[in-house]
Amino acid sequence: SVLTQPPSASGTPGQRVTISCSGSTSNIGNYHVYWYQQLPGTAPKLLIYRDSQRPTGVPDRFSGSKSGTSASLAISGLRPEDEAHYFCGSWDDSLTAPWVFGGGTKLTVL
Amino acid sequence: QVHLQESGPGLLKPSETLSLSCTVSGDSIRVYYWGWIRQPPGKGLEWIAYFYYSGTTFYNPSLKSRVTMSVDTSRDQFSLKLDSVTAADAAVYYCATGAASPFDYWGQGTQLTVSS
């Protein structure tokens, strides 16, 4: 994947965990980052848009940030129901492939 | 809330053409993008194509030679055709739409199995 995410992350209930998404100046460095949550057996859902904005209904336990060519998703007060796959996405300079996804991170709540 | 519903054949033989459609309903919100994404079993997301309201369609280079996307914004419907499917095209196919990005709102997905 053009955007690099760790394949897995874990935490215990109540903890704060972060998931990274690394790109380049062709994508994250110059464009907004989006985060998606995919609960088991369901479709992905937009979690964060334009780097740090939460859609209506997304708890403020979820937050996004960006610095240079990397972005992070932070989940505070971790809950068992947060166990899911998380994907990042961004626009890209490429005229032929103007959108890129990360490979996804499986978050396990221990 | 915006609701998207995909429809597709479920099962195709190798070399056949996949035809998918997506219907958007629910709250009337302004969107600028309509898109398709797929997810092979146990794997990540792959965007297939998306349409921008200005009239431009973008295709993933890895699929561009086999894919055609069309959008009827007046009827809140859009479709995807993928030619000459193989086992590698087996996946869950999602349609999506959005204002900030092509993938703000997602359908529940439709499974494609390719088998002779």
Side-chain angles (χ1 to χ4, degrees):
Chain A
S1 302
V2 174
L3 303 182
T4 301
Q5 297 180 240
S8 63
S10 63
T12 57
Q15 262 190 333
R16 182 178 186 272
V17 297
T18 62
I19 297 172
S20 62
C21 176
S22 178
S24 69
T25 53
S26 296
N27 38 68
I28 292 177
N30 282 299
Y31 299 100
H32 289 305
V33 177
Y34 300 76
W35 289 93
Y36 306 87
Q37 178 193 56
Q38 186 174 32
L39 296 170
T42 70
K45 179 188 85 168
L46 182 67
L47 201 62
I48 297 288
Y49 67 99
R50 291 176 180 161
D51 301 336
S52 60
Q53 305 301 302
R54 281 186 305 277
T56 303
V58 173
D60 60 6
R61 301 186 297 108
F62 296 90
S63 62
S65 63
K66 189 178 82 170
S67 178
T69 58
S70 292
S72 293
L73 172 70
I75 309 172
S76 59
L78 195 63
R79 296 181 178 183
E81 57 263 36
D82 297 332
E83 185 162 295
H85 282 89
Y86 294 85
F87 297 90
C88 60
S90 179
W91 300 103
D92 191 281
D93 275 343
S94 171
L95 293 177
T96 57
W99 183 270
V100 287
F101 280 117
T105 298
K106 172 65 191 308
L107 174 64
T108 300
V109 181
L110 302 170
Chain B
Q1 283 288 355
V2 177
H3 181 72
L4 295 95
Q5 180 66 58
E6 305 90 346
S7 62
L11 174 65
L12 287 176
K13 294 181 170 57
S15 80
E16 291 186 328
T17 295
L18 171 65
S19 293
L20 298 172
S21 63
C22 181
T23 301
V24 183
S25 61
D27 293 345
S28 180
I29 61 170
R30 185 72 179 269
V31 294
Y32 302 101
Y33 301 95
W34 295 261
W36 290 94
I37 314 96
R38 71 180 184 180
Q39 185 173 33
K43 296 190 177 181
L45 303 173
E46 179 181 34
W47 73 276
I48 303 170
Y50 67 85
F51 176 88
Y52 186 53
Y53 84 109
S54 64
T56 305
T57 304
F58 297 91
Y59 294 104
N60 189 314
S62 67
L63 297 167
K64 184 175 182 178
S65 63
R66 298 193 291 133
V67 172
T68 304
M69 178 178 177
S70 58
V71 179
D72 183 345
T73 58
S74 64
R75 296 177 59 198
D76 285 331
Q77 291 182 337
F78 55 109
S79 62
L80 184 81
K81 288 188 184 299
L82 177 65
D83 297 328
S84 304
V85 299
T86 70
D89 295 312
V92 176
Y93 286 74
Y94 299 100
C95 62
T97 190
S101 82
F103 314 119
D104 294 350
Y105 307 96
W106 296 60
Q108 65 183 23
T110 182
Q111 177 81 47
L112 172 68
T113 300
V114 180
S115 175
S116 56

